[in-house]
Amino acid sequence: NAGVTQTPKFQVLKTGQSMTLQCAQDMNHEYMSWYRQDPGMGLRLIHYSVGAGITDQGEVPNGYNVSRSTTEDFPLRLLSAAPSQTSVYFCASSMKDNQPQHFGDGTRLSIL
Amino acid sequence: RKEVEQDPGPFNVPEGATVAFNCTYSNSASQSFFWYRQDCRKEPKLLMSVYSSGNEDGRFTAQLNRASQYISLLIRDSKLSDSATYLCVVILLYNFNKFYFGSGTKLNVKP
């Protein structure tokens, strides 16, 4: 049972580099979202999507881009990495936008 | 002001104790409510939904108070394995619904 799969699990970047965090789900869920989790801050919504071709900003979207070309995939792009983006990133999905979300294992990202 | 607020704890309780957490939310347009559990360095996992009339799942009871805008989680007969951080989640009704997570309450159950 794959569920929500995130890659990579760990990544170290230098300031200014770009990269894409991958997220895929095999449950045919319409709703997908990206969060970052920092100590003492809880989970903060970065971007979300209610279906293929539809995305919207969450609470902390600056410095990140997303696209949703298929139902299964929802990649998160860091355009120019900054140390403030050091965090644990979680991707989540649910059948609808009012139902509980299932989370991936997370990506631990460090920006030097 | 945060959409969802929780006491970070930690709550340190002995095995067998009953412990309760509250979570307050600021927006009366909040539509759905959940409790998640997160173990150290792991992903959050759904513990239970919270219904208006209150609901129970084994040793866990969830309550919703819309008038005072808070939800609660009661754990009876605490086990060592209950040690974790408990996150409350609120869905706000917009054009698209948005999930907001509390920062979590840490529970340590001691032998």
Side-chain angles (χ1 to χ4, degrees):
Chain A
N1 294 336
V4 180
T5 303
Q6 288 185 238
T7 56
K9 294 199 182 320
F10 302 93
Q11 184 71 48
V12 178
L13 293 177
K14 294 181 179 179
T15 298
Q17 287 184 312
S18 62
M19 81 160 293
T20 299
L21 308 185
Q22 301 292 343
C23 175
Q25 52 91 9
D26 61 0
M27 298 173 283
N28 201 30
H29 283 174
E30 291 185 7
Y31 187 96
M32 296 186 73
S33 53
W34 276 101
Y35 297 87
R36 59 178 290 174
Q37 187 173 36
D38 303 295
M41 299 289 289
L43 285 155
R44 291 184 291 170
L45 182 65
I46 304 172
H47 285 285
Y48 66 102
S49 168
V50 298
I54 307 170
T55 63
D56 203 354
Q57 296 180 350
E59 186 182 357
V60 287
N62 292 341
Y64 307 94
N65 274 356
V66 292
S67 59
R68 184 94 180 270
S69 56
T70 67
T71 300
E72 295 78 18
D73 300 301
F74 190 43
L76 178 72
R77 296 182 189 84
L78 279 70
L79 307 174
S80 178
S84 61
Q85 293 178 305
T86 293
S87 189
V88 180
Y89 291 84
F90 288 104
C91 178
S93 74
S94 60
M95 184 63 71
K96 298 287 185 183
D97 63 357
N98 63 349
Q99 294 182 356
Q101 294 184 310
H102 303 264
F103 283 80
D105 292 344
T107 295
R108 283 160 180 77
L109 182 63
S110 294
I111 316 294
L112 305 178
Chain B
R1 183 182 176 184
K2 289 183 180 179
E3 296 287 353
V4 183
E5 300 210 50
Q6 294 183 253
D7 181 344
F11 285 62
N12 298 309
V13 302
E15 268 187 296
T18 295
V19 62
F21 314 131
N22 280 347
C23 167
T24 58
Y25 59 94
S26 61
N27 196 319
S28 60
S30 301
Q31 185 184 48
S32 301
F33 309 87
F34 308 98
W35 282 102
Y36 276 71
R37 170 195 170 122
Q38 186 173 26
D39 294 296
C40 187
R41 300 182 67 80
K42 298 285 190 180
E43 76 275 19
K45 292 184 178 177
L46 178 67
L47 180 66
M48 60 195 301
S49 302
V50 185
Y51 301 119
S52 296
S53 56
N55 50 296
E56 192 173 301
D57 183 359
R59 298 181 293 109
F60 299 85
T61 300
Q63 300 271 357
L64 167 63
N65 185 318
R66 284 195 183 272
S68 301
Q69 294 185 197
Y70 73 88
I71 64 173
S72 63
L73 178 68
L74 180 78
I75 305 175
R76 291 182 299 278
D77 188 22
S78 299
K79 312 292 185 189
L80 294 176
S81 57
D82 294 334
S83 297
T85 296
Y86 291 84
L87 310 174
C88 67
V89 180
V90 170
I91 299 179
L92 297 185
L93 178 63
Y94 290 109
N95 289 334
F96 301 135
N97 291 335
K98 288 185 180 180
F99 288 72
Y100 287 91
F101 283 76
S103 54
T105 297
K106 186 167 177 57
L107 172 66
N108 295 318
V109 181
K110 310 279 189 183

